[in-house]
């Protein structure tokens, strides 16, 4: 087992390793390097394939290593039917995508970087679906958002690509934060940090008062990632990315992460009213919105993108529907969708690559020029349309089987599903048949079959959709059943086969196909109808995004202008108001004002004299209207303080204060000769009163606090120690000086550092003259350390 | 000078009689080294070619010493050296506990990075007028603040780093600098003076200045109002220092004005000294009062986070944007302090450590972006992704680390803080953490779009100077740290948890200062 | 005694705050100087007051008599005085340079680091 | 201020103040005084000389740049703190020796050299500031 654990770990990181090598491989071997790089996902794919029998027998494979033990977080994976199916899709389609990219991006100067990002994404996505611990899931979840940002913005010189990248980052980033909060809620509610252990606490979770909060937060993550209405708008815009990205991230894998999460949580959080209302509702709305939007488009990729959104809605709806077989239907549809949608996207890219256009209106009659592509497209479209023999048919049958119950809710969603599927059928045929059938239309590039690297992938995927349908027993044994069991949280058997059974589901399938054909034949009229419908609804959330971003920026500018107004006066006013509050609120709140002091009768006459002199000095400074008065008054209060120090036994202090005051006055005089002191302090009366109120409040606060602090007992053991040992141990009779140079000498060391730096800083201030400003450009210093 | 008294004295009542281990010097050596080098640089001020040769090995030695200090604290617990051999609390104790040692070490690392970057960023005039002496004494002040065990001494180190920062801020004397420096100087001076006032009151109430001694006594003091006023005053003073809302004005007013390497140092270090002191005082010395004030701190934290992030979104100038990002980060640390408990405090410590590295890296990156793109402003920047892929890659890492996205170092403190906030049911605090992260993602994502991806707008005159190893090595080094600890966060997470426990229960700290129970 | 000092200190701080709320950098500077003196007096009072006897151990004695002033606050104030003087000197020169470079001592007009009415950041992508 | 009287009396006053500053410095351990005050007095002396005879004359007279003198002071003070590493006692422990010089016992201590360091820092830095500011008058 240990070997298997290490091997699984290696397989999880192989894409990342390949990503780091990608630029080098492409640089060395050109597009052929993609063969080399594809080995990494291929190896992982084979490894996961070997695990299939175990999983099919109902086992779950776990493994992992300590990662952040202090947070009770391990790097651990949990492979059951659900995870393994995803892992196979990711590595399998991933291998094909790497090869496809080799052809699609051939000769692109940034091809190495592109493959690097694709492989990084693959590593992230793989980690996401195998993660067992919550935080590991979150880390990988965000990694997929980040790599998706890089890939959507790959064509970064176009504004639309940049916008789409930011949009995806913002929407999925917001969802990611919501997910994080939800996961931490789960952690707090259950004390469990691993998904696989959640099963043990399920009822506790559902009965918790925070269930709904946690659910909404988690849905915030899942819905944004899986492009559910009203967060869907980023997905079609993400089609700005090169087509391999659309095929891989935005149809087959990343957008399904939300669905994955919901499926993963279904056993522990499902089957509650909230779950069974929210999921089908949003899923259903997304399904309808997606198909209507898809019909409206003429761009191949956009049509596919909107049907992807619709399919995701269908998956969410099924996951949350709560009826027997709904989960099986979801599992089947998920696999089928990955196969046919991946293939169709690659076909779209191939057409675009070879013909220079992907607008259905400009395409036609390509079947001769591109026969293999046509075959692949047709097979994929048939699967998407849900025609017998194809895997998509099985999925559709199962869906109708699950929904056909007769109660009102089921009927409602059945109608939604049939309508949605019919429209998807139409779009599938529009994408797969329109460009190939009919008369040949001249395209910007001369159309011919694409290179092997590019048709191989879609052909294989489309063929797989057929084989999986024909050999459904094998597919069910190894994929559908284990996956459905994992999603349902209990053993479930999928046994639907491609041989049609007479019954309600078949009838519904036929209705779907007929409806779909009708729409397909009238596609232009349907498109016009969709356009009119959407116009009637008005602008969607996509336009809103621009307004939201611009609005946020404007809002932030407005807020910042208020909180950072750029005026020192306001800064100081706020600071002093806070100071006054700090000093006055606690004594009042706690009702502990100092004792009312008695009149100080012990103060001597000359002491009063100097106190009053100090006050006079203060008053004179306040009133000073010219330089000389200000300097002299400042000197007066300073010298009064010095004398007060002397009167109360502080000789050293007094000396120093005298010297410092003298020097202050001298340098003040030196500088002030150049400075103008405005004759009056221009404050309007209101301002004056306001400032005075703050000042007085601060003064009172300090006084009250000092009174209170000094009214308590005083512990003077420090002083006693100094007094005792100053002479006998430290050899100094002047205790103050001994404290300065010995007992607390380190203070002095810091203090002289301050003095020294002040000297230098003043020197720098006076001597350094600003160079004439060239621009705000940081001039580099090319001159070294000479002179 | 008196001759020694002949009467026999009991020296053990005045002196620590235990022999001093050479390793104990580790708690003093980093500070002493920086002051010595500052003094030496001052003496050779006019021999500019010597500056780099003295300062860079000096900073490397600082990293080494702080690393050894950290190693010793991790393995042997807190230790103390009391200057002058006087019994604590009478002499000034320097105590290294895990919190202080971690902060000192990380600070030294970014100082080394900034020092190397400065070799190219600071011109001859800047050197002649003291860049490197300022840097040395700034580090003396920062390290001293992290390692001192005496609250008045802490004030002195605050002043040392403050005046050094003044010196750094005004080098160049451009108009913006003088304007910014005036606001910075006045408001910061006010902040430290309030700190000094608080120390005065503290002395009036407790009669002692040694922090371990205060920690022993604070629980005994029963008068609530004076202690609440005192601690509120500390919170105000340190919040000013840390640039927490609503006393953050000085930071956006000044941080974008000096040379970018100076901004990088400031962004990484200065505000963190403020939050360090806040945590030291509020968590270790006055835990009861911290609980009473937690709502106030939490409101300030939430507003700092949200308004900081919004401020970042509102800027065109990348340097000003970074200033607001610093404030948002401070909000996160304050949130941890407000939440309290081992998880909250460890989240705060972890965030502070992450923020020191990331904010320095962010400013250095902006310096590089401006070098390549020829502007500081989003209006005219562009095309960096093409011109300098490695700068773009660094930007990618640093931006997402700042916003707190994985797999970079910013994720982990955010997770710890969120967990702690939800544990105590402070949903609005968690919501602000998330909202702030979201706005920062948007703001920095926009920068990536506009400055890096967008082609250079037409008409923008660009004078690109060549990159050099002195510029790129520090940036790459810091990015490597951010990525490494994003992928393997166990070590910092564990250390921050232990540091938080040591802070909340300072028995070992007190024990190291008063091995025998101490004088009373 | 402490009462008188407490009230006196209140006046010092009130005056300092009022001056610092001025728009003019020179007045702010005067306020800072007074603020510093207030802090020194506060520290002095915090260590409790005694009259006249300086803390110098008389010849022939080994320890200081109990009536002497408390030396510790004095030492702290000495440190603080020198520091606040240094800052005062620096700020004074900074104000002077500000006046030179910015052409004003009115802090409302000092809008170089944070200019008024900056254009919006680009709203596009 | 540049009067003849000032020019005449400045040199003796400066010399007197410098001597007095050293006196204040050295007696500081036992009487009011010490490195700060001494340094401030000496710096004032140099400032007065500078006002009377011009900054250039002072710079010439003190030979070293004031900031270099301050740097030396800081170096001396810090090293005084580190001397105790050789005695196996903590940072800044006061160490006293009493070498006999011409039969007179002279007390020497690290705390005294520390205080001298303080003196030099204050002299250098404050004189530096004063001279810089005075220098502006001549621009």
């Amino acid at each position: 087992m240990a070997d298997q654990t290490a091997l699984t770990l290696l397989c999880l990181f192989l894409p990342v390793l390949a990503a780091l090598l990608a630029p080098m491989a492409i640089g060395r071997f050109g597009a052929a390097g993609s063969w080399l790089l594809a080995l990494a996902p291929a190896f992982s794919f084979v490894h996961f394939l070997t695990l299939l029998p175990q999983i099919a027998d109902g086992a779950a494979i776990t493994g992992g290593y300590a990662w952040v033990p202090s947070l009770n977080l391990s790097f651990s994976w949990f492979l059951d039917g659900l995870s393994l199916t995803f892992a196979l899709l990711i590595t399998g389609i991933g291998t094909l995508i790497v090869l496809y990219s080799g052809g699609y991006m051939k000769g692109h100067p940034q091809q190495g970087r592109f493959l690097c990002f694709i492989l990084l994404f693959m590593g992230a996505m793989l980690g996401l679906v195998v993660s067992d611990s919550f935080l590991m899931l979150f880390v990988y979840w965000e990694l997929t958002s980040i790599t998706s940002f890089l890939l959507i913005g790959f064509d970064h010189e176009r504004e639309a690509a940049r916008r789409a990248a930011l949009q995806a980052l913002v929407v999925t980033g917001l969802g990611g934060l919501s997910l994080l909060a939800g996961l931490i809620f789960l952690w707090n509610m259950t004390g469990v940090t691993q998904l696989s252990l959640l099963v043990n606490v399920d009822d506790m979770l559902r009965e918790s008062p925070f269930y709904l909060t946690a659910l909404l937060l988690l849905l915030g993550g899942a819905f944004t990632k899986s492009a559910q209405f009203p967060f869907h708008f980023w997905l079609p815009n993400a089609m700005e990315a090169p087509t391999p990205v659309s095929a891989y991230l935005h149809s087959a894998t990343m957008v399904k992460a939300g669905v994955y999460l919901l499926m993963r949580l279904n056993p522990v959080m499902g089957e509650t009213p909230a779950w069974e209302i929210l999921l089908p509702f949003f899923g259903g709305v997304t399904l309808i919105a997606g198909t209507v939007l898809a019909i409206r488009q003429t761009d191949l990729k956009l049509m596919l993108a909107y049907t992807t959104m619709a399919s995701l809605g269908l998956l969410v709806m099924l996951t949350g529907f709560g009826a027997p077989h709904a989960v099986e239907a979801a599992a089947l549809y998920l696999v089928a969708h990955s196969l046919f949608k991946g293939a169709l996207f690659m076909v779209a890219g191939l057409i675009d690559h070879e013909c220079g256009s992907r607008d259905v209106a400009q395409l036609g009659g390509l079947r001769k020029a591109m026969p293999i592509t046509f075959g692949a497209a047709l097979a994929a479209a048939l699967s998407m349309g849900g025609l017998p023999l194809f895997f998509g048919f099985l999925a559709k049958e199962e869906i109708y089987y699950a929904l056909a119950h007769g109660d009102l809710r089921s009927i409602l969603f059945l109608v939604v599903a049939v309508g949605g599927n019919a429209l998807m059928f139409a779009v599938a045929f529009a994408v797969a048949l329109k460009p190939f059938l009919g008369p040949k239309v001249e395209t910007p590039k001369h159309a011919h079959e694409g290179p092997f690297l590019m048709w191989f992938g879609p052909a294989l995927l489309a063929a797989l959709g057929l084989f999986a349908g024909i050999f459904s027993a094998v597919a069910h044994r190894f994929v559908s059943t284990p996956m459905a069991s994992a999603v349902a949280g209990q053993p479930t058997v999928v046994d639907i086969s491609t041989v049609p059974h007479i019954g309600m589901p078949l009838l519904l399938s036929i209705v779907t196909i007929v409806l779909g054909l009708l729409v397909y034949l009238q596609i232009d009229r349907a498109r016009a109808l969709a356009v009119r419908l959407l116009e009637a609804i008005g602008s969607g959330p996509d336009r809103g995004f621009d307004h939201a971003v611009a609005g946020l920026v404007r809002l932030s500018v407005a807020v910042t202008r208020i909180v950072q107004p750029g005026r020192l006066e306001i800064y100081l006013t706020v600071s002093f108001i806070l100071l006054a509050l700090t000093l006055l609120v606690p004594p009042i709140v706690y009702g502990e004002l100092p004792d009312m002091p008695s009149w100080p009768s012990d103060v001597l006459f000359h002491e009063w004299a100097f106190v009053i002199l100090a006050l006079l000095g203060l008053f004179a400074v306040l009133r000073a209207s010219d330089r000389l008065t200000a300097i002299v008054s400042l000197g007066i209060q300073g010298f009064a303080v010095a004398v007060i120090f002397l009167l109360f036994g502080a000789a050293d202090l007094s000396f120093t204060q005298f010297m410092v005051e003298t020097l202050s006055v001298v340098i003040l005089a030196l500088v002030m000769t150049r400075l103008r002191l405005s004759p009056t302090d221009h404050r309007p009366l209101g301002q004056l009163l306001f400032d005075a109120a703050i000042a007085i409040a601060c003064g009172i606060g300090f006084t009250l606090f000092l009174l209170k602090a000094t009214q308590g007992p005083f512990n003077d053991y420090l002083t006693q120690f100094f007094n005792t040992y100053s002479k006998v141990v430290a050899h100094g009779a002047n205790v103050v000086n001994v404290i300065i140079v010995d007992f607390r000498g380190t203070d002095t060391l810091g203090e002289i550092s301050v003095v020294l730096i002040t000297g230098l800083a003043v020197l720098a201030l006076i001597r350094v003259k600003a160079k004439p400003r060239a621009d705000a450009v940081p001039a580099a210093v090319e001159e070294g350390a000479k002179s | 000078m008196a001759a020694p008294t002949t009467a026999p004295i009991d020296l053990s009542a005045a002196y620590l009689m235990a022999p001093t281990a050479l390793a104990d010097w580790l708690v003093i050596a980093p500070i002493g080294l920086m002051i010595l080098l500052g003094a030496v640089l001052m003496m050779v001020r006019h021999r500019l070619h010597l500056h780099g040769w003295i300062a860079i090995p000096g900073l490397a030695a600082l990293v080494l010493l702080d690393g050894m200090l950290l190693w010793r604290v991790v393995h042997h617990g807190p230790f103390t050296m009391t200057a002058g051999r006087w019994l604590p609390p009478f002499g000034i104790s320097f105590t290294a506990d895990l919190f202080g040692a971690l902060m000192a070490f990380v600070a030294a690392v970014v100082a080394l990075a900034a020092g190397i970057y400065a070799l190219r960023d600071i011109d001859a005039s800047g050197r002649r007028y003291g860049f490197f002496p300022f840097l040395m004494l700034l580090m003396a002040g920062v390290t001293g603040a992290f390692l001192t065990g005496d609250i008045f001494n802490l004030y002195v180190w605050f002043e040392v780093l403050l005046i050094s920062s003044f010196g750094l801020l005004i080098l160049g004397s451009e108009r913006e600098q003088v304007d910014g420096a005036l606001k910075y100087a006045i408001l910061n001076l006010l902040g430290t003076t309030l700190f000094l006032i608080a120390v005065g009151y503290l002395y009036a109430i407790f009669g002692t200045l040694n922090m371990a001694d205060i920690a022993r006594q604070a629980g005994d003091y029963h008068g609530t109002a004076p202690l609440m006023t005192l601690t509120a005053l500390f919170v105000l003073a340190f919040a000013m220092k840390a640039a927490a809302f609503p006393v953050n004005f000085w930071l956006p007013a000044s941080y974008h004005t000096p040379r970018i390497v100076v901004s990088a140092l400031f962004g990484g270090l200065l505000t963190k000294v403020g939050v360090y002191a806040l945590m030291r005082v509020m968590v270790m010395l006055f835990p009861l009062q911290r609980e009473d004030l937690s709502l106030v701190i939490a409101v300030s934290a939430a507003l700092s986070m949200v308004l900081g992030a919004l401020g970042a979104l509102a800027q065109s100038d990348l340097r000003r944007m970074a200033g607001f990002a610093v404030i948002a980060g401070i909000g996160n640390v304050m949130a941890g302090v407000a939440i309290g408990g081992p998880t909250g405090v460890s989240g705060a410590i972890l965030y502070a450590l992450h923020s020191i590295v990331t904010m320095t890296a962010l400013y250095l990156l902006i310096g590089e972006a401006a070098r390549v793109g020829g502007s500081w402003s989003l209006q005219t920047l562009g095309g960096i992704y093409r011109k300098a892929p490695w700068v773009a890659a660094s930007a990618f890492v640093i931006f997402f680390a700042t916003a707190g996205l994985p797999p970079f170092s910013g994720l982990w403190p955010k997770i710890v803080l969120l967990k702690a906030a939800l544990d105590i049911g402070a949903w609005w605090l968690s919501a602000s953490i998330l909202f702030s992260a979201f706005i920062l993602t948007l703001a920095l994502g926009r920068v990536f779009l506009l400055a890096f991806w967008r082609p250079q707008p037409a008409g923008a005159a660009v004078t690109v100077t060549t990159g050099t190893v002195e510029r790129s090595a520090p940036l790459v080094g810091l990015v490597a740290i951010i990525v490494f600890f994003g992928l393997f966060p166990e070590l910092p997470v564990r250390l921050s948890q232990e540091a938080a426990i040591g802070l909340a229960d300072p028995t070992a700290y007190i024990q190291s200062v008063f091995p025998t129970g101490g004088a009373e | 005694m402490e009462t008188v000092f407490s009230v006196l200190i209140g006046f010092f701080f009130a005056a300092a705050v009022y001056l610092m709320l001025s728009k003019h950098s020179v007045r702010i500077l005067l306020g800072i100087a007074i603020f510093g003196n207030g802090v020194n007096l506060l520290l002095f009072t915090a260590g409790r007051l005694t009259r006249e006897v300086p803390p110098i151990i008389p010849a022939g004695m080994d320890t200081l008599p109990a009536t002497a002033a408390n030396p510790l606050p004095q030492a702290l104030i000495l440190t603080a005085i020198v520091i606040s003087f240094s800052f005062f000197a620096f700020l004074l020169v900074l104000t002077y340079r500000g006046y030179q470079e910015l052409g004003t001592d009115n802090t409302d007009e000092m809008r170089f680091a944070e200019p008024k009415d900056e254009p919006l950041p680009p709203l596009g992508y | 201020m540049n009067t003849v009287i000032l020019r005449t009396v400045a040199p003796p006053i400066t010399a007197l103040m410098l001597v007095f500053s050293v006196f204040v410095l050295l007696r500081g351990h036992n009487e009011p005084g010490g490195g700060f005050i001494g340094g401030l007095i000496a710096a004032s002396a140099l400032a007065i000389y500078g006002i009377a005879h011009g900054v250039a004359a002072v710079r010439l007279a003190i030979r070293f740049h004031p900031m270099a003198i301050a740097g030396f002071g800081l170096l001396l003070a810090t090293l005084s703190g580190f001397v105790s590493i050789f005695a196996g006692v903590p940072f800044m422990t006061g160490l006293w020796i009493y070498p006999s010089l011409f039969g007179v016992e002279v007390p020497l201590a690290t705390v005294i050299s520390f205080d001298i360091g303080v003196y030099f820092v204050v002299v250098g830095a404050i004189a530096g500031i004063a001279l810089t500011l005075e220098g502006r008058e001549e621009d």
Side-chain angles (χ1 to χ4, degrees), chain B residues 177-221:
Chain B
Q177 275 181 296
V178 175
D179 182 15
L182 207 59
K183 291 167 186 167
Y184 175 90
I186 289 170
L187 291 166
N188 267 286
L189 183 59
L190 182 63
T192 38
T193 310
L194 291 181
F195 176 26
L196 177 61
I197 291 170
V199 170
Y201 282 125
L202 183 101
Y203 176 66
I205 293 173
F206 289 97
T208 186
L209 298 165
N210 183 297
M211 294 203 270
D213 205 21
I214 299 165
R216 293 196 300 188
Q217 295 181 30
D220 302 339
Y221 198 88

Side-chain angles (χ1 to χ4, degrees), chain B residues 24 125 153 168 205 215 227 248 287 295 323 325 382 414 460:
Chain B
D24 284 348
S125 152
N153 198 239
L168 289 169
I205 293 173
L227 226 50
N248 58 351
L295 185 65
K414 199 169 76 182

